[in-house]
Amino acid sequence: MKPVLLSRAKLLMAVVAMLFCSALYAEDGPLEPTWVKPDVKWAQYTKFLITPLDVSDVKLLRPPWAMDDPKEWTIEDEDLQLLQNLYRDVMKNTLEADGGYPVVHVEADDVLQVEVELLSIMPYIRPGKRETSQGQQYVTLGSGEVNAKSEFRDSQSRELLLLLEGEKTVGQEYKEHTDANIVANLEYMFGNFAARLRKAMDQVHGK
């Protein structure tokens, strides 16, 4: 039996796909590819269409140490709106900065569509609570954890090209549990995702 050899074109596509997917990994807990469509021509994409962060069905979870808290844990609509605004701004700024990749609003054959849905949020401290009963400021390693799903699609056909799912810690340092630090941790998380996405695109374009 003769060995089956990949054509030069197919080999190139396989290498490009491997580069794109491997660049999405990060040292601080990556969202690992759950599924990748074979033979995707990643190099054809030079722009991004970032859909609004989907928070329509996000679940608010309690951490194990707060299961006996008699008070209700809720997340306000304005907090969800803040999440969406931060995601939109950080993604655009990170992807486009310093000659990066344009974020557009119109489908085209060179536009990769990115859809992210937050499945659950687990804050380490009850939302709205900032101090202990003794009036001391909480200090936590990050603000909480999120479980998210990311879908990469061809913007014209809407065909699914790559799926990511996983949990992510919001923040990597010990900080006081303040509104400003919560926002900073969210910006870090979204910025890290956008930076990995940009690195993946740089890999396939040889930058």
Side-chain angles (χ1 to χ4, degrees), residues 2 14 49 54-55 59 82-83 105 107 118 122 142 170 191:
K2 293 183 179 181
L49 193 161
D54 187 354
V55 294
K59 305 297 182 184
L82 172 64
L83 281 171
H105 303 284
E107 300 88 354
L118 290 188
M122 186 178 71
V170 184

Side-chain angles (χ1 to χ4, degrees), residues 44-107:
Q44 81 177 60
Y45 300 108
T46 60
K47 304 180 183 72
F48 290 100
L49 193 161
I50 308 298
T51 64
L53 180 66
D54 187 354
V55 294
S56 60
D57 195 33
V58 63
K59 305 297 182 184
L60 181 64
L61 306 177
R62 297 186 183 206
W65 55 84
M67 289 299 180
D68 296 332
D69 185 352
K71 294 189 177 181
E72 184 179 6
W73 284 49
T74 60
I75 185 166
E76 303 295 334
D77 289 343
E78 61 186 32
D79 294 326
L80 295 177
Q81 184 65 57
L82 172 64
L83 281 171
Q84 291 179 309
N85 293 343
L86 287 174
Y87 173 77
R88 177 198 62 207
D89 295 343
V90 171
M91 291 292 289
K92 178 176 175 63
N93 292 339
T94 305
L95 292 172
E96 290 188 336
D98 301 321
Y101 302 91
V103 174
V104 300
H105 303 284
V106 179
E107 300 88 354

Side-chain angles (χ1 to χ4, degrees), residues 58 62 86 148 151 153 158 162-163 165 182 190 196:
V58 63
R62 297 186 183 206
L86 287 174
E151 296 180 354
R153 297 180 178 274
R158 298 295 196 278
L162 186 147
L163 174 66
E165 290 183 299
I182 291 172
F190 292 142
R196 282 185 287 154

Side-chain angles (χ1 to χ4, degrees), residues 10 19 57 80 93 98 131 134 153 164 189 198:
K10 281 189 173 292
L19 287 172
D57 195 33
L80 295 177
N93 292 339
D98 301 321
E131 297 179 345
Q134 290 78 34
R153 297 180 178 274
L164 304 174
M189 179 183 69
R198 179 168 174 164

Side-chain angles (χ1 to χ4, degrees), residues 14-32:
V15 171
V16 167
M18 180 182 67
L19 287 172
F20 185 86
C21 294
S22 63
L24 290 172
Y25 285 73
E27 293 79 9
D28 58 342
L31 292 174
E32 299 183 0

